[in-house]
Amino acid sequence: MKHIGVIDIGSNSVRLLITEITDKRSFKIITELKEYVRLGEGFDNNGSLKEEKIQETINVLRLYKNFCATFPDIKIIATATEAVRKAKNQSYLMDRIKSEINLDIQVLSGEKEAYYDYFASINTLSINNGLIMDIGGASTELILVENRNLKECISLPFGAITLTKKFNLQDSISNAEEKNLKSFLLDSFSKIAWLNDLKVNTLIGIGGSIRNIAKISKKRTNYPLNLIHNYKLDSAEILDIYDEVKLKSAEQRKKIKGLSKNRTDIFVGAVCAVNTLIDMCKIKHVIISRNGLREGVLLSTLYNKQKIDDILGFSINNIMINNSMNPKHSNHVYKLTLSLFDELKPVHRLDDYLINVIRTSSMLHDIGSNISYYYHHKHSAYVILNSIIYGLTPRECVMSAFAAYYHRSDSLPSDFDKYKTLIDKVDLYSIKVIGILIRIAENLDKDLSNSITDIKCTINDDVIIIKTVSNTNSDFLIKQAQTISDSFNELLGKKLYVV
């Protein structure tokens, strides 16, 4: 098995995710395709999917299967959710798909769909406890996570499309329509016993509609990062967004920055559902998960349902393998950087909350060399800023990127100011300290030999002596590290000697 293709037949869209397996513990997403079929709108009065929607779905699946066939040794996993789950003519649809394109479909139960949402979230976000909410076109999954374990889950038979149709939400809504919608949602949520005794204040949001809430938020604040995974919103902002969109027609909603044109007619019901749940459960903030069903299926298949204990390490390792980096050098620079950080704490006075930043920036400090060795620190910063690194907060991502940049420069790039909304003055100082330490560590392994096995620091009033531990002659490497002396002195106020 060289590739995995995950097909998700949802109530709103049919998607394909193709992944290349690059190593036993790593993968690379090749492409993602999406077609809006809107199966959730395609039922007749008897609860059966209409022929035109069946044919449209088959046409998309045929296209996807032919595309998958261009990849060697591919395993296709095709799933279907609520629209197919509740269709009276489900068997007919499955038979048509099997006979016409020879594709087997797993019709997931609500609980199985919830499990994949859970598995994707806990393996790509640093969360121990929280409530996961996945709003699809025709169903909403709620999952309670405690100590990274799935404690409770339920699938509710309504989503963005079905709420829109049931309560006539395509355009601006009346007070009566809003009252009926909220009453329905509150009644549905209140019937879930475990939801009434919730002791978490974080909601993890999954699905296109919830991602659109985050995209609107990002546009409002000129958020500097392109990434949406692990984006955090306060609950009050979601209420504000809901109050804005409910008063607009579908045509007017098209002008809202961040809102997908394909969701303007079904967005209000989804936002109202999120807002109602937040209010009922006293949720303080929402964290966006870019990953859901498809990624859950992928990770569950690759790792045999075993949870990933070290999310950040897994993610960094995945990036390193896919970029053909030198793992011995990267790990050694990280080891030396961490030793320097620990030994010099009395001087820089920074704490261990920076460990994720140190680990990421030191291990990926030269990833930009794949673009060009010259000025690779600039390319490294770009790659870190635009990679989804699981286990990092947006603030840690920015700090890691510019610490990697600073390891070869005594100044930060001209566009750095736009990221200052995510960091403060202490963070800026931390970036420079970590960057300088990486610079020393990199020069102590300039020949990629790992010959300097450790360092010990002696701190005097105005001098710091770094004593290297090596079994070979390391004069060249020591000389390289000594070149940092002036920059070190300017930042930390002490002369540096490397011996």
Side-chain angles (χ1 to χ4, degrees):
M1 179 177 63
K2 181 69 173 174
H3 295 84
I4 295 177
V6 180
I7 296 174
D8 170 20
I9 305 172
S11 302
N12 188 38
S13 61
V14 180
R15 296 172 180 252
L16 168 65
L17 180 74
I18 293 186
T19 303
E20 178 185 355
I21 312 305
T22 52
D23 194 71
K24 289 181 180 179
R25 296 288 295 175
S26 66
F27 61 90
K28 178 167 62 178
I29 294 174
I30 300 297
T31 191
E32 186 176 40
L33 305 179
K34 175 173 64 177
E35 288 289 331
Y36 287 100
V37 177
R38 291 272 176 104
L39 270 183
E41 294 178 342
F43 289 90
D44 61 22
N45 293 332
N46 296 319
S48 294
L49 286 166
K50 296 176 182 177
E51 179 60 33
E52 62 189 74
K53 289 295 182 182
I54 290 176
Q55 190 58 57
E56 190 176 353
T57 301
I58 290 173
N59 291 342
V60 173
L61 292 176
R62 180 181 288 110
L63 173 71
Y64 287 176
K65 188 179 180 187
N66 290 339
F67 186 69
C68 287
T70 64
F71 293 89
D73 191 19
I74 190 168
K75 176 180 181 178
I76 300 176
I77 305 170
T79 65
T81 53
E82 178 67 15
V84 176
R85 195 157 56 221
K86 71 179 183 181
K88 298 292 186 183
N89 57 345
Q90 178 192 125
S91 297
Y92 170 72
L93 172 62
M94 296 298 102
D95 291 342
R96 284 278 304 275
I97 293 172
K98 180 66 175 177
S99 63
E100 294 187 29
I101 55 179
N102 192 29
L103 188 63
D104 293 312
I105 309 294
Q106 299 177 33
V107 181
L108 302 178
S109 66
E111 290 74 18
K112 192 69 173 178
E113 184 177 356
Y115 168 79
Y116 286 131
D117 284 337
Y118 152 78
F119 201 77
S121 296
I122 61 143
N123 286 309
T124 62
L125 290 169
S126 294
I127 54 167
N128 291 317
N129 304 288
L131 176 65
I132 300 173
M133 183 185 202
D134 179 4
I135 302 181
S139 71
T140 296
E141 282 66 49
L142 299 175
I143 306 107
L144 177 61
V145 178
E146 290 185 0
N147 298 317
R148 297 192 77 217
N149 294 315
L150 193 159
K151 184 72 173 179
E152 303 280 358
C153 72
I154 190 170
S155 180
L156 302 171
F158 59 80
I161 292 176
T162 50
L163 287 173
T164 300
K165 187 175 181 180
K166 182 179 180 70
F167 295 99
N168 190 30
L169 307 175
Q170 291 88 346
D171 285 301
S172 56
I173 60 176
S174 67
N175 289 336
E177 288 165 341
E178 182 182 21
K179 183 178 179 180
N180 290 336
L181 171 62
K182 286 186 173 181
S183 177
F184 169 80
L185 290 167
L186 189 58
D187 181 63
S188 299
F189 293 146
S190 297
K191 290 177 181 177
I192 306 169
W194 55 266
L195 205 58
N196 287 283
D197 192 33
L198 204 64
K199 292 182 175 63
V200 299
N201 57 24
T202 299
L203 181 70
I204 296 95
I206 297 176
S209 293
I210 293 183
R211 287 196 299 274
N212 264 241
I213 295 174
K215 289 176 182 177
I216 293 171
S217 170
K218 288 175 64 178
K219 289 293 183 180
R220 284 177 160 195
T221 58
N222 292 318
Y223 188 74
L225 291 177
N226 293 322
L227 308 177
I228 203 163
H229 189 71
N230 210 10
Y231 182 78
K232 188 175 182 179
L233 302 90
D234 289 334
S235 298
E237 186 177 5
I238 295 178
L239 173 60
D240 189 48
I241 290 172
Y242 170 65
D243 285 341
E244 177 188 357
V245 299
K246 73 180 182 183
L247 299 175
K248 297 182 183 295
S249 66
E251 194 62 33
Q252 289 172 326
R253 290 175 205 150
K254 290 180 180 179
K255 298 178 182 179
I256 298 175
K257 293 181 179 180
L259 179 56
S260 168
K261 302 297 184 291
N262 292 307
R263 291 187 183 274
T264 54
D265 59 333
I266 62 171
F267 186 62
V268 170
V271 187
C272 187
V274 176
N275 196 57
T276 302
L277 185 66
I278 284 173
D279 188 52
M280 173 184 160
C281 298
K282 296 179 173 56
I283 296 294
K284 292 183 179 179
H285 50 257
V286 177
I287 296 173
I288 306 302
S289 174
R290 172 65 180 79
N291 300 325
L293 172 63
R294 293 174 300 285
E295 291 78 13
V297 170
L298 173 66
L299 291 171
S300 181
T301 301
L302 284 176
Y303 303 119
N304 196 28
K305 301 182 180 180
Q306 296 295 312
K307 286 183 289 188
I308 299 167
D309 293 326
D310 180 7
I311 296 172
L312 179 57
F314 158 78
S315 189
I316 291 173
N317 183 66
N318 198 55
I319 292 170
M320 288 175 59
I321 290 172
N322 292 335
N323 286 274
S324 303
M325 292 182 67
N326 182 336
K328 285 183 64 178
H329 175 63
S330 295
N331 279 286
H332 199 62
V333 169
Y334 169 48
K335 174 189 171 183
L336 294 178
T337 302
L338 192 57
S339 292
L340 287 166
F341 182 83
D342 289 339
E343 292 271 319
L344 296 176
K345 276 183 180 178
V347 178
H348 58 64
R349 301 182 186 280
L350 297 173
D351 296 324
D352 287 344
Y353 73 90
L354 291 165
I355 292 300
N356 284 349
V357 176
I358 295 168
R359 186 181 190 185
T360 304
S361 56
S362 59
M363 293 194 71
L364 300 180
H365 73 279
D366 62 352
I367 192 171
S369 297
N370 285 310
I371 300 171
S372 171
Y373 175 79
Y374 302 104
Y375 307 108
H376 70 259
H377 59 293
K378 297 182 179 181
H379 306 310
S380 295
Y382 178 86
V383 172
I384 294 170
L385 281 173
N386 291 277
S387 296
I388 301 178
I389 304 177
Y390 303 138
L392 282 190
T393 65
R395 170 173 164 264
E396 289 173 331
C397 179
V398 170
M399 293 181 70
S400 298
F402 289 108
Y405 186 102
Y406 202 77
H407 95 276
R408 283 222 165 189
S409 173
D410 283 329
S411 61
L412 292 168
S414 58
D415 66 343
F416 176 74
D417 282 354
K418 73 179 183 181
Y419 297 97
K420 286 186 177 179
T421 56
L422 293 176
I423 60 174
D424 57 27
K425 289 183 179 180
V426 174
D427 295 333
L428 177 57
Y429 169 71
S430 302
I431 287 169
K432 292 180 178 180
V433 169
I434 295 169
I436 283 287
L437 299 184
I438 295 173
R439 201 184 307 182
I440 296 170
E442 182 189 45
N443 282 331
L444 289 175
D445 197 46
K446 193 81 170 180
D447 62 351
L448 313 180
S449 67
N450 299 174
S451 58
I452 293 179
T453 58
D454 203 357
I455 55 96
K456 298 293 179 184
C457 296
T458 300
I459 302 171
N460 297 320
D461 289 342
D462 59 352
V463 173
I464 290 176
I465 301 170
I466 298 177
K467 178 174 176 56
T468 60
V469 179
S470 176
N471 295 322
T472 62
N473 186 310
S474 301
D475 289 349
F476 169 75
L477 299 176
I478 290 171
K479 185 177 180 180
Q480 291 292 310
Q482 186 61 49
T483 62
I484 287 99
S485 180
D486 289 345
S487 298
F488 186 92
N489 188 20
E490 184 177 348
L491 180 64
L492 294 171
K494 290 183 183 292
K495 295 179 182 179
L496 175 68
Y497 292 99
V498 185
V499 296

